[in-house]
């Protein structure tokens, strides 16, 4: 009998401005196309269900949202034991803001986007990483995320704030895309993807797709297969 497909859980919700359902559908399409068994839900409790540790990957496409701190333990245990987590823009960086344990696992917290929608430069810091293969520095039109981030993250791409909108934050370099670990779990995040249509941009879609697969524990060959 064939081996069972690795499972992924995508949960969407929160601010409709970020088009969570449409974004979740695009993430599901990427993962299904890579041979994963994908479940999409609008119930945040799925992330803390007793069986969440059976997932290879969880993707919280949730802006804000609430979760009692005492309920987050199953998810944190799953991550420590090897379940991966991945997100983009609002996913992870704004999810469950009042739960410090989740913020620690996510590795970043959004705090501002000076200038709102604007054009800014993204610099690829690790072009030889399989997640970033074929991606060179590029201009991006969206919100430039200013975050509080864990210094333990491995930065794959970054951006620099010019100070045009907040002069007290001139020449500040900020991660755009990173990976890290929480216990045995792989954590991937990119700050790009304000709305679902951004996820199809050629400088973003392959990076997100590969980051999702990396977080799910897939090997380099699977990442290299994403053009």
């Amino acid at each position: 009998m064939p081996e069972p497909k690795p499972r992924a859980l995508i949960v969407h919700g929160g601010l409709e401005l970020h088009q969570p359902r449409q974004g979740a559908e695009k993430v599901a399409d990427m993962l299904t196309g890579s041979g994963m068994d994908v479940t999409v839900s609008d119930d945040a409790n799925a992330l803390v269900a007793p069986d969440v540790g059976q997932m290879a990957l969880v993707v919280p496409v949730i802006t804000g949202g609430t979760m009692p701190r005492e309920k987050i333990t199953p998810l944190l245990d799953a991550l420590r034991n090897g379940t991966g987590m991945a997100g983009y823009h609002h996913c992870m960086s704004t999810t469950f803001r009042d739960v410090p344990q989740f913020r620690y696992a996510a590795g970043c917290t959004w705090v501002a986007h000076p200038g709102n929608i604007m054009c800014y430069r993204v610099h690829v810091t690790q072009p030889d990483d399989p997640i970033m293969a074929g991606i060179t520095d590029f201009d991006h039109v969206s919100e430039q995320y200013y975050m509080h981030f864990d210094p333990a993250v491995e930065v794959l791409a970054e951006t620099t704030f010019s100070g045009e909108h907040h002069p007290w934050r001139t020449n500040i370099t900020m991660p755009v895309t990173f990976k890290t670990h929480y216990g045995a779990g792989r954590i991937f995040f990119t700050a790009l993807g304000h709305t679902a249509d951004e996820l199809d941009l050629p400088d973003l879609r392959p990076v997100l797709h590969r980051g999702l697969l990396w977080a799910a524990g897939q090997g380099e060959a699977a990442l290299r297969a994403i053009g």
Side-chain angles (χ1 to χ4, degrees), residues 76-151:
L76 299 178
D77 287 346
L79 297 177
R80 276 194 292 265
N81 290 324
T83 295
M85 183 166 68
Y88 62 90
H89 200 66
H90 53 287
C91 316
M92 285 173 39
S93 71
T94 72
T95 306
F96 308 151
R97 291 177 67 95
D98 294 332
V99 185
Q101 305 98 311
F102 182 84
R103 302 263 39 87
Y104 179 42
C108 65
T109 300
W110 167 82
V111 292
H113 43 70
N116 297 314
I117 302 297
M118 54 181 284
C119 182
Y120 60 93
R121 190 73 172 168
V122 176
H123 169 59
V124 177
T125 57
Q126 297 202 42
D128 294 331
D129 189 286
I131 293 175
M132 304 304 297
I135 306 296
T136 57
D137 295 359
F138 60 94
D139 291 327
H140 188 69
V141 178
S142 189
E143 294 172 337
Q144 188 181 30
Y145 259 21
Y146 198 102
M147 300 182 293
H148 293 166
F149 68 95
D150 189 332

Side-chain angles (χ1 to χ4, degrees), residues 18-83:
H18 285 145
Q19 302 177 328
R21 178 184 58 79
Q22 297 92 323
E25 290 171 351
K26 288 185 179 292
V27 170
D29 179 65
M30 294 178 199
L31 295 175
T32 301
S34 291
M36 296 191 70
D37 179 5
V38 179
T39 299
V40 179
S41 173
D42 62 359
D43 182 3
N45 288 307
L47 288 166
V48 295
D51 63 349
V52 69
Q54 298 177 17
M55 300 295 168
L57 176 69
V58 294
V59 186
V61 188
I62 302 172
T63 301
T66 59
M67 180 65 64
R69 296 183 185 186
E70 64 273 14
K71 291 185 65 175
I72 203 72
T73 300
L75 175 58
L76 299 178
D77 287 346
L79 297 177
R80 276 194 292 265
N81 290 324
T83 295

Side-chain angles (χ1 to χ4, degrees), residues 115-194:
N116 297 314
I117 302 297
M118 54 181 284
C119 182
Y120 60 93
R121 190 73 172 168
V122 176
H123 169 59
V124 177
T125 57
Q126 297 202 42
D128 294 331
D129 189 286
I131 293 175
M132 304 304 297
I135 306 296
T136 57
D137 295 359
F138 60 94
D139 291 327
H140 188 69
V141 178
S142 189
E143 294 172 337
Q144 188 181 30
Y145 259 21
Y146 198 102
M147 300 182 293
H148 293 166
F149 68 95
D150 189 332
V153 304
E154 183 178 352
V155 180
L156 304 178
E158 64 188 17
T159 188
T160 300
F161 284 77
S162 68
E164 176 184 357
H165 303 284
H166 288 176
W168 57 93
R169 292 292 183 265
T170 299
N171 294 328
I172 299 298
T173 299
M174 185 66 54
V176 169
T177 303
F178 69 75
K179 61 182 182 180
T180 188
H181 287 80
Y182 183 82
R186 297 179 175 187
I187 310 296
F188 170 82
F189 177 78
T190 181
L192 309 181
H194 174 61

